[in-house]
Amino acid sequence: CVLGSSQYTYVEASPSQKKEDFIRSVENALWFYGGVPNALVPDNLKSAVTKGSRYEPKVNETFSDFAEYYETAVLPTRTYKPRDKAIVENAVRIIYTRVFAPLRHQTFHSVPAINKAILELLKTHNEMSFRGREYSRRSLFDEVEKQELKSLPLKRYEIKAYANGTVHKNSHIYFSKDKHYYSVPYQHIGKRIKIIYSDSLVEVFYKFERLAAHPREKKKYAYTTVKEHMPSHHRFVSEWSSEKFIAWAAHIGIHCKAYIIEILDKKQHPEQSYKSCLGILHLAKKVGNLRLDNACKRASDYGAYNYNIIDRILKKGWDNLDENLEEEIVLPDHKNIRGGHYYK
């Protein structure tokens, strides 16, 4: 990366040319300079430009969002026009001589290690006087260009990614990347939505309208809920309700009913447990009411209240185990079995 007037240069080694690595490298350059130029002039790699054009190239959506965050413009070079980036082309040739060549016989075991070595040589390069001149890239930058850069934001840009989903009947969307649930206003139940997420934030959109924004949580199968999103706080009747699930469980057995009540009580909002309850009660169609009731009793003894434990008990046949089995086991006589009197 080279600034247009001073030719002040930034160089780093990057794991790849993927979008995330490319944007992070450009950002590192801005923070190295301590400011933001009015425009970024990238080459036509896919991480920057989705579709090249002489008149109106299509900038990568994430890179465009990155530029908007830093309040700068993206002006891609024309394809096959090295003159559009002559300063960079010349800088590459010099960097190969002054940075790459001195390091070519060394072995580095991490990206930070090689970048540390690069920065040391880069400092020498930037402070070296131009041929036949008394000033260097660094001194020219400090004198002419530094004050022309716009201020950096308070924090770095967070790369965003995108996913699609549906608002479930419990007023939550399932974010599959983290296996986590986030609440959405109940009025949008059943709608297809777009999820935009970064390392710290998850946003939910419907037709360009932002429905919700949550701090990103990575706890699996947990819920992040805004109480105003839940139908229980409004005059709203859902197809699912706590009473419906409790009555359904009562038809299966007393242990199943008690188990369902425990699941509903353990969540801050009953609606969060509806899918677990639905999954457990549907198991009666596969194994029958008696086995499901026994499985709920055994899971209660374990103190585990979720769908997965019930499913596991039924698959392993643990619901049919005799609870008094341990009492019926008689140890055989053997010389290696010392007996309780041995320890007196």
Side-chain angles (χ1 to χ4, degrees), residues 34-51:
V36 183
N38 288 328
L40 303 173
V41 184
D43 207 341
N44 279 268
L45 73 166
K46 288 294 183 182
S47 299
V49 180
T50 305
K51 184 178 181 181

Side-chain angles (χ1 to χ4, degrees), residues 20-89:
E20 293 79 9
D21 290 327
F22 171 72
I23 291 176
R24 195 61 64 213
S25 293
V26 175
E27 184 174 45
N28 289 341
L30 299 183
W31 286 79
F32 173 79
Y33 295 135
V36 183
N38 288 328
L40 303 173
V41 184
D43 207 341
N44 279 268
L45 73 166
K46 288 294 183 182
S47 299
V49 180
T50 305
K51 184 178 181 181
S53 170
R54 181 173 182 177
Y55 302 105
E56 196 171 303
K58 185 177 181 181
V59 179
N60 180 288
E61 184 177 13
T62 305
F63 190 46
S64 179
D65 186 64
F66 165 82
E68 185 176 341
Y69 179 81
Y70 277 95
E71 297 182 352
T72 186
V74 178
L75 304 175
T77 61
R78 294 172 295 171
T79 54
Y80 308 109
K81 296 292 182 181
R83 288 177 299 175
D84 288 1
K85 49 176 179 170
I87 295 177
V88 175
E89 296 287 351

Side-chain angles (χ1 to χ4, degrees), residues 9 19 26 45 60 96 105 119 128 148 175 188 205 209 217 219 250 258 269 277 293 309 316 337 340-341:
T9 305
K19 175 179 64 179
V26 175
L45 73 166
N60 180 288
Y96 264 103
H105 296 307
L119 282 176
M128 186 180 298
E148 297 297 330
F175 182 45
H188 300 279
F205 289 83
E209 176 190 358
E217 300 287 345
K219 185 177 180 181
H269 299 282
C277 293
D293 197 49
I309 188 65
K316 297 289 186 179
I337 299 177
H341 65 276

Side-chain angles (χ1 to χ4, degrees), residues 169 236-248 260 264 270-271 273-274 277 281:
K169 291 182 179 180
F236 176 81
V237 179
S238 174
E239 292 180 26
W240 296 350
S241 67
S242 299
E243 293 75 14
K244 177 179 179 179
F245 287 120
I246 293 171
W248 186 353
I260 291 298
L264 292 168
E271 291 87 347
S273 304
Y274 287 174
C277 293
L281 296 172

Side-chain angles (χ1 to χ4, degrees), residues 2-9 33 87 125-126 128 130 135-146 149:
V2 182
L3 290 180
S5 178
S6 64
Q7 299 184 40
Y8 194 37
T9 305
Y33 295 135
I87 295 177
H125 164 72
N126 281 322
M128 186 180 298
F130 286 103
Y135 51 83
S136 65
R137 292 170 175 81
R138 178 57 192 262
S139 63
L140 195 59
F141 167 75
D142 290 336
E143 182 180 349
V144 176
E145 212 161 22
K146 188 174 183 178
L149 299 177

Side-chain angles (χ1 to χ4, degrees), residues 105-158:
H105 296 307
Q106 296 186 42
T107 301
F108 299 92
H109 298 285
S110 69
V111 174
I114 191 173
N115 279 330
K116 183 179 179 181
I118 287 173
L119 282 176
E120 292 174 359
L121 294 172
L122 184 63
K123 182 179 178 182
T124 302
H125 164 72
N126 281 322
E127 294 180 353
M128 186 180 298
S129 296
F130 286 103
R131 185 176 299 176
R133 300 288 188 273
E134 296 181 356
Y135 51 83
S136 65
R137 292 170 175 81
R138 178 57 192 262
S139 63
L140 195 59
F141 167 75
D142 290 336
E143 182 180 349
V144 176
E145 212 161 22
K146 188 174 183 178
Q147 60 268 27
E148 297 297 330
L149 299 177
K150 292 182 288 187
S151 299
L152 290 165
L154 294 177
K155 65 176 185 177
R156 286 176 170 254
Y157 173 76
E158 291 188 2

Side-chain angles (χ1 to χ4, degrees), residues 156-197:
R156 286 176 170 254
Y157 173 76
E158 291 188 2
I159 294 177
K160 296 181 177 64
Y162 306 88
N164 295 314
T166 301
V167 183
H168 297 166
K169 291 182 179 180
N170 62 357
S171 295
H172 285 74
I173 56 101
Y174 176 64
F175 182 45
S176 59
K177 189 172 182 65
D178 296 334
K179 296 180 171 61
H180 193 89
Y181 294 87
Y182 295 95
S183 67
V184 173
Y186 72 90
Q187 296 92 336
H188 300 279
I189 287 175
K191 293 179 180 177
R192 291 284 295 172
I193 47 83
K194 184 175 184 178
I195 304 169
I196 300 178
Y197 61 95

